[in-house]
């Protein structure tokens, strides 16, 4: 989490230098400095934790820069960095004030519609799932309600389940002995349809938790769970 924190600090300071009408050269210079700072200040295998914070800061505090940053990353940086960015955007979406109104829920279909490309869609959903899981892990009934209300839509792709799985790996690494992890993974719904959706979206990502975590940590690649990708491949 220290790496995520330094990423937040670097992004918050550097993005203040940009405006929506900034040139591509100006944007590239700022983003190159951000990436370089994350790489030079991160332990081996953890740089992704810092890179992902760029998306959170942009979504939460500099939303007017989303298009500029996305375009610059897409044209001048690796695909992986673009993925980290949009994963952070998804995570930041959960904490946006407009989504705090209890009656309205989260705009899942709008997120998919507004995301400008496939990398953005995959990582926005995975990042949002990451935030939802970590915040509500102690109250699995909240996640059960989400499965009941949005499960049919969210189960059409593996984006949401991927975010759940990667967030569980991070949680297991930071608090491996926490009892609520096991309680969450073994939660059962009394409703048959909801149970099926729960098992697909929220329980299945727990099934390989300890094995995936051990393999990814051994390979020093834990920072890579901060973007959408196959966790099975990452663990091999």
């Amino acid at each position: 989490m220290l790496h995520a924190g330094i990423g937040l600090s670097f992004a918050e300071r550097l993005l203040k230098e940009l405006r929506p009408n900034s040139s591509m050269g100006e944007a590239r210079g700022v983003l190159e400095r951000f990436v370089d700072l994350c790489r030079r200040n991160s332990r081996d295998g953890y740089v992704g934790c810092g890179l992902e914070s760029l998306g959170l800061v942009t979504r939460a505090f500099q939303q007017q820069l989303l298009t500029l940053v996305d375009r610059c990353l897409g044209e001048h940086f690796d695909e992986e960095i673009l993925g980290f960015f949009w994963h952070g955007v998804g995570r930041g979406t959960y904490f946006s004030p407009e989504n705090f109104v209890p009656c309205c829920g989260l705009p899942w279909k709008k997120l998919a519609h507004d995301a400008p490309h496939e990398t953005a869609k995959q990582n926005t959903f995975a990042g949002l799932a990451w935030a939802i899981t970590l915040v509500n892990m102690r109250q699995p009934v909240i996640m059960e309600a989400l499965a009941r209300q949005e499960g049919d839509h969210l189960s059409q792709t593996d984006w949401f389940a991927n975010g759940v799985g990667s967030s569980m790996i991070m949680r297991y690494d930071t608090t491996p002995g926490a009892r609520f992890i096991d309680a969450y993974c073994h939660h059962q719904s009394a409703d048959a349809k909801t149970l099926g959706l729960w098992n697909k979206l929220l329980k299945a990502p727990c099934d390989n938790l300890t094995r995936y975590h051990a393999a990814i940590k051994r390979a020093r690649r834990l920072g890579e769970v901060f973007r959408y990708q196959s966790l099975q491949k990452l663990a091999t």
Side-chain angles (χ1 to χ4, degrees):
M1 296 314 299
L2 175 63
H3 293 80
I6 62 173
L8 288 171
S9 178
F10 295 152
E12 183 180 8
R13 290 170 182 251
L14 290 172
L15 287 179
K16 292 178 181 178
E17 299 180 17
L18 295 178
R19 299 291 182 271
N21 60 350
S22 293
S23 69
M24 189 57 58
E26 291 171 324
R28 183 176 181 179
V30 166
L31 295 178
E32 285 177 344
R33 285 160 58 197
F34 170 78
V35 172
D36 181 62
L37 282 168
C38 287
R39 286 175 171 164
R40 286 195 291 111
N41 290 279
S42 296
R43 295 179 64 183
D44 185 28
Y46 288 89
V47 67
C49 314
L51 293 174
E52 194 248 17
S53 297
L54 176 67
L56 189 151
V57 173
T58 306
R59 176 63 177 85
F61 306 112
Q62 300 280 2
Q63 193 169 350
Q64 71 277 12
L65 298 177
L66 274 172
T67 300
L68 175 66
V69 175
D70 171 66
R71 181 185 167 197
C72 186
L73 291 176
E75 293 181 5
H76 300 291
F77 293 80
D78 295 338
E79 179 78 12
E80 290 80 6
I81 296 179
L82 184 65
F84 284 125
F85 169 73
W86 278 102
H87 194 279
V89 170
R91 192 158 62 94
T93 298
Y94 184 72
F95 301 105
S96 297
E98 66 266 27
N99 294 322
F100 285 176
V101 183
C103 66
C104 302
L106 289 163
W108 296 103
K109 293 182 180 179
K110 187 176 186 299
L111 286 175
H113 179 269
D114 291 347
H117 45 74
E118 191 73 1
T119 297
K121 289 181 172 65
Q122 294 169 339
N123 283 280
T124 298
F125 271 68
L128 183 50
W130 172 293
I132 292 172
T133 303
L134 293 181
V135 171
N136 298 294
M137 195 177 294
R138 292 176 182 271
Q139 292 86 28
V141 292
I142 296 177
M143 302 299 288
E144 179 183 339
L146 175 64
R148 182 168 55 252
Q149 296 167 9
E150 301 286 350
D152 288 332
H153 174 62
L154 296 178
S155 61
Q156 292 177 12
T157 67
D158 71 333
W159 306 340
F160 184 88
N162 179 273
V164 174
S166 61
S167 66
M168 293 294 293
I169 290 171
M170 194 278 288
R171 169 55 66 201
Y172 187 81
D173 187 72
T174 54
T175 56
R179 294 181 179 178
F180 60 83
I181 296 177
D182 188 65
Y184 172 86
C185 289
H186 291 91
H187 177 76
Q188 295 286 323
S189 172
D191 176 69
K193 180 182 178 181
T194 303
L195 178 61
L197 292 168
W198 170 275
N199 288 340
K200 182 176 183 179
L201 291 170
L202 302 158
K203 183 179 182 300
C206 295
D207 291 342
N208 295 300
L209 175 60
T210 55
R211 182 168 65 88
Y212 283 0
H213 170 264
I216 295 170
K217 186 168 186 174
R218 185 166 54 248
R220 297 184 178 181
R221 302 182 70 182
L222 275 174
E224 295 187 38
V225 303
F226 282 71
R227 66 179 176 90
Y228 171 85
Q229 62 179 305
S230 169
L231 295 175
Q232 182 178 7
K233 292 181 179 179
L234 184 60
T236 57

